[in-house]
Amino acid sequence: MNLELLTKQFPREQIKSRQGKKGMTYYYVPATSVIERLNQALNFNWSFTVVKEYIFENEVVVLGELKIGNEIVKQAFGNSPINGSIGDALKSATSDSIRKNAAALNVPAIFHTPSNTAEQQGNNQQSSPQFPQQQQQTDNPYRCSECNAGITKQIHDYSFRTFNKVLCMKHQQEARKQAR
Ligand SMILES: [Zn+2]
């Protein structure tokens, strides 16, 4: 596994955004870019399987499973509103699940930014949506305070703002669960 490549920031032009729940803006990398990243960093030695699909009135939810070799490393739910066909919604929920699985491996595929925070702080550059910036990848000073995993500056900044702690994506998820 090439960790450095796995966790490397995506170029800004590959990052998309959409409005999420509760006033959050949801920044994400398309599943095709995530798949390409996994192929490169894991040398094609991974697979993704849809375990379950749930179709609700307005939304579909997909449970997907990521394996490296024969080992299940992660299961994650992806969801999508039904705006057109159920097939399209299932496809984008599957993409979402791939992203969430990859994020657990510290692939920087998903970011949430509270819209109100961005508005409050106006043009303050530090608080603008955390797009990747050009940065040296050689000497990465940003590390998770829980597990010491290398993280990006964006994840560092976001985590510090949100949790007052420097956490990788995985430990942010855990912090979020505990906060509920
Ligand atoms: Zn961590």
Side-chain angles (χ1 to χ4, degrees):
M1 184 188 297
N2 183 338
L3 266 182
E4 195 183 338
L5 178 58
L6 197 65
T7 57
K8 192 177 157 190
Q9 200 55 250
F10 287 91
R12 181 175 173 151
E13 61 270 17
Q14 289 186 20
I15 296 178
K16 317 282 179 205
S17 70
R18 68 174 163 82
Q19 283 308 304
K21 289 171 188 166
K22 296 175 189 164
M24 302 287 280
T25 306
Y26 180 84
Y27 293 91
Y28 66 97
V29 177
T32 48
S33 303
V34 175
I35 289 167
E36 194 185 318
R37 172 64 59 86
L38 292 171
N39 282 343
Q40 289 168 353
L42 303 175
N43 200 21
F44 294 90
N45 186 29
W46 67 283
S47 61
F48 175 82
T49 311
V50 171
V51 181
K52 277 181 189 157
E53 294 174 346
Y54 305 87
I55 298 168
F56 301 106
E57 193 179 342
N58 300 314
E59 185 183 47
V60 299
V61 175
V62 165
L63 178 63
E65 179 177 278
L66 184 72
K67 283 185 185 177
I68 297 179
N70 289 319
E71 195 187 343
I72 297 169
V73 289
K74 180 69 185 167
Q75 288 192 335
F77 288 101
N79 64 299
S80 171
I82 301 171
N83 291 322
S85 76
I86 287 173
D88 287 347
L90 284 170
K91 199 177 157 200
S92 65
T94 301
S95 296
D96 192 40
S97 171
I98 291 173
R99 271 192 289 278
K100 283 176 179 156
N101 276 298
L105 295 177
N106 285 326
V107 176
I110 303 172
F111 323 80
H112 294 275
T113 307
S115 301
N116 55 0
T117 308
E119 277 162 26
Q120 277 165 14
Q121 301 186 359
N123 289 330
N124 182 346
Q125 204 175 5
Q126 288 229 306
S127 70
S128 61
Q130 296 298 301
F131 287 117
Q133 290 146 8
Q134 298 304 321
Q135 59 177 286
Q136 305 92 335
Q137 297 289 341
T138 44
D139 186 14
N140 179 4
Y142 302 109
R143 304 220 159 256
C144 173
S145 62
E146 293 285 338
C147 67
N148 208 35
I151 57 175
T152 64
K153 179 175 188 303
Q154 284 72 32
I155 292 172
H156 167 277
D157 290 353
Y158 172 80
S159 175
F160 195 75
R161 269 207 321 276
T162 310
F163 302 101
N164 278 322
K165 269 192 204 170
V166 180
L167 299 171
C168 67
M169 297 289 272
K170 185 179 142 217
H171 284 107
Q172 285 184 30
Q173 279 181 354
E174 291 186 7
R176 213 167 265 132
K177 271 181 213 150
Q178 284 169 12
R180 261 175 212 155

